[in-house]
Amino acid sequence: MEQQTLALHAGYEKEAQGTMAVPLYMTTAYDFGSADFAASSFNLQQGTDHVYTRVGNPTTAILERRFATIEGGSAALAISSGMGAIFYAVLNIAGAGDNIIVASKLYGGTITLFTQTLKRLGIEARFYDVHNPDEITPLIDEHTKGIFFETISNPSIDVPDIEAIVAIANAHGILTIVDNTVATPFLCQPLLLGVDVVVHSASKYTTGQGLAIGGLMVERNDLVAKILENPRYPFFNEPETSYHGLVFANCPASAVLFTFRARMILLRDTGAVLSPFNAWLFIQGLETMSLRMRQHSDSALKVAQFLEKHPRIQKVNYPLLSSDRSYKNASKYLTKGASGLVSFEVESFEVAKKILDGVKLFSIVANIGDSKSIINHSASTTHQQLSPQELENAGISAGLIRLSIGLEDTQDLIEDLTQALS
Ligand SMILES: *Cc1c(COP(=O)(O)O)cnc(C)c1O
């Protein structure tokens, strides 16, 4: 079945409740009914969506099943934010003394997670140039647990060669984790390209309306084959003391062991659970997500083409412009569109600020993926604390403006930019 059909139907048995809309179960806990059933639930013999909402909830479970199906994966775990999803994906495989190889161009929060917080926990980040996967192999050692990158990086808008990275990872039996927030499963399905785990900030395109913070983690079909007896992954292959010596790779849920372990260990112990209400909002958003992604992508390409011809603009970044550094990879991996992020450079900090104050339809907001268009000047906001040299290393010039193209009429957006640039 096509993704758009799955986005409306997967993961919910309508017949049981008879409601067209997915029910919202706001509840903390569940009545076990009998002492035996209660005991077997805690023994991991029963499903996980009727124990306690920290580890599972029936509404959240529908979101998880639906999102996993749309991504082409076998299971998903909902988490309270995109950052939470990234943190759990790393903690599920790595501990003190381990390292993760990460792309040089990433979301700002992800960079500080790797360079500050994970570092304090003893997990080292080793950076490679996002456009040069050849740099990965020399960074690998026996403590390397994962390779992390973004399908379309935010805010730099780079598209890596996904299959080249997967080939290197597979040659060494290392897991790949990809942040697919900007592309969404409707523009790119990394799991079908061999990526092992996908993470998302659902806070962006999933509702599309900037309504709620949330995250998701999805695992590839048959990931167990890569983990089973792989000495890099003792968490899954050695007895788990907190469950009387259970080995995740051998347990009944081993078909979805990455998700299962993250739920039963990380959610249980650190508790970054998604609210069922937010899960319900994301389910509403998924119904229209593929239609919205098509429109975001069409409009963003038209805006990029307009900006490229504008005499006051020095450079435009959009992966599907033939002049773009990511064009080759984007033409291969983003055949349905390249999402809504466009950035461009004007001559100076002052000119950039005038454009921000001149637009009427775009809002000045530090977010992306809203159906309302957003404009942002990195050097004066999100990257204000960086020195000129650090700005240059991050690829952010003083005159760089980033747009998140929303769902307004494309011509109205172009007219607004035209008047602000005049
Ligand atoms: C926003 C974002 C995140 C963080 O997600 P939150 O839901 O805000 O925690 C991670 N990665 C990318 C690419 C993002 O755009």
Side-chain angles (χ1 to χ4, degrees):
M1 241 182 269
E2 294 298 318
Q3 282 174 302
Q4 172 56 19
T5 308
L6 297 168
L8 293 159
H9 297 287
Y12 175 51
E13 303 291 338
K14 185 160 79 261
E15 292 67 28
Q17 300 287 346
T19 60
M20 283 299 282
V22 168
L24 166 57
Y25 292 97
M26 289 305 293
T27 183
T28 305
Y30 307 84
D31 183 355
F32 293 118
S34 77
D36 276 347
F37 190 86
S40 62
S41 297
F42 277 84
N43 205 9
L44 306 187
Q45 301 303 305
Q46 305 295 338
T48 50
D49 52 357
H50 287 90
V51 181
Y52 186 64
T53 286
R54 178 162 15 92
V55 291
N57 171 279
T59 302
T60 309
I62 295 166
L63 170 70
E64 290 168 339
R65 288 196 293 269
R66 193 165 286 184
F67 209 95
T69 310
I70 295 167
E71 267 290 7
S74 57
L77 181 71
I79 300 137
S80 60
S81 70
M83 289 318 303
I86 297 168
F87 188 47
Y88 278 16
V90 173
L91 284 192
N92 214 20
I93 49 176
D98 293 333
N99 66 75
I100 308 282
I101 297 175
V102 293
S104 53
K105 297 283 171 61
L106 294 172
Y107 179 69
T110 308
I111 293 181
T112 47
L113 171 68
F114 276 112
T115 58
Q116 314 291 325
T117 301
L118 285 170
K119 186 177 171 199
R120 276 185 218 118
L121 297 179
I123 298 170
E124 180 197 348
R126 300 181 172 177
F127 287 91
Y128 72 94
D129 175 354
V130 68
H131 287 296
N132 190 4
D134 291 344
E135 290 182 12
I136 294 174
T137 305
L139 298 174
I140 295 175
D141 64 22
E142 79 262 36
H143 301 295
T144 302
K145 303 291 164 148
I147 300 175
F148 184 96
F149 58 98
E150 297 176 0
T151 39
I152 301 176
S153 60
N154 174 19
S156 74
I157 326 182
D158 288 284
V159 180
D161 187 346
I162 301 170
E163 286 171 333
I165 300 166
V166 166
I168 295 166
N170 286 348
H172 294 85
I174 298 171
L175 260 59
T176 42
I177 304 169
V178 167
D179 184 336
N180 200 29
T181 299
V182 179
T184 81
F186 294 105
L187 301 178
C188 182
Q189 289 177 285
L191 301 178
L192 304 188
L193 298 168
V195 164
D196 298 309
V197 176
V198 160
V199 288
H200 279 275
S201 167
S203 324
K204 313 292 166 55
Y205 288 108
T206 308
T207 73
Q209 296 158 15
L211 297 179
I213 299 280
L216 282 137
M217 171 201 290
V218 191
E219 77 177 272
R220 172 171 69 76
N221 287 319
D222 203 28
L223 180 57
V224 62
K226 187 168 180 180
I227 291 177
L228 191 65
E229 288 171 22
N230 183 336
R232 286 189 198 275
Y233 300 108
F235 296 172
F236 298 92
N237 288 301
E238 290 176 5
E240 169 59 44
T241 43
S242 70
Y243 283 108
H244 300 298
L246 167 122
V247 174
F248 279 100
N250 302 331
C251 78
S254 69
V256 293
L257 85 173
F258 194 89
T259 308
F260 192 63
R261 185 187 183 277
R263 185 191 302 282
M264 299 323 295
I265 301 287
L266 301 175
L267 261 190
R268 180 195 65 180
D269 295 352
T270 68
V273 63
L274 184 71
S275 156
F277 182 65
N278 283 7
W280 186 84
L281 287 174
F282 293 137
I283 290 168
Q284 313 313 310
L286 278 180
E287 295 198 351
T288 55
M289 198 174 176
S290 80
L291 310 175
R292 288 186 282 107
M293 292 320 295
R294 216 176 297 160
Q295 185 61 42
H296 281 295
S297 302
D298 283 355
S299 275
L301 179 60
K302 290 200 181 100
V303 168
Q305 286 163 340
F306 155 78
L307 292 170
E308 203 174 32
K309 290 197 207 91
H310 198 284
R312 286 193 67 190
I313 290 175
Q314 294 169 330
K315 185 164 185 285
V316 181
N317 302 307
Y318 190 69
L320 286 174
L321 289 179
S322 57
S323 57
D324 195 86
R325 59 187 176 244
S326 293
Y327 182 67
K328 189 160 158 259
N329 292 335
S331 322
K332 185 169 175 194
Y333 300 117
L334 299 171
T335 53
K336 292 191 238 168
S339 196
L341 299 191
V342 179
S343 67
F344 62 97
E345 283 173 39
V346 291
E347 73 230 44
S348 69
F349 194 93
E350 284 66 35
V351 171
K353 286 216 302 199
K354 277 204 190 95
I355 293 168
L356 259 74
D357 287 332
V359 286
K360 297 191 167 78
L361 270 179
F362 288 81
S363 308
I364 306 174
V365 175
N367 190 21
I368 61 162
D370 199 309
S371 35
K372 281 80 70 182
S373 288
I374 288 170
I375 191 165
N376 194 307
H377 178 226
S378 309
S380 66
T381 57
T382 50
H383 295 69
Q384 192 192 97
Q385 273 77 26
L386 302 194
S387 68
Q389 184 58 48
E390 285 172 324
L391 281 174
E392 198 184 314
N393 295 347
I396 292 162
S397 71
L400 184 75
I401 292 174
R402 188 188 66 188
L403 304 176
S404 170
I405 299 297
L407 299 178
E408 297 90 347
D409 181 82
T410 316
Q411 201 49 42
D412 286 339
L413 292 174
I414 289 175
E415 278 168 23
D416 192 28
L417 290 167
T418 304
Q419 65 81 22
L421 281 160
S422 63

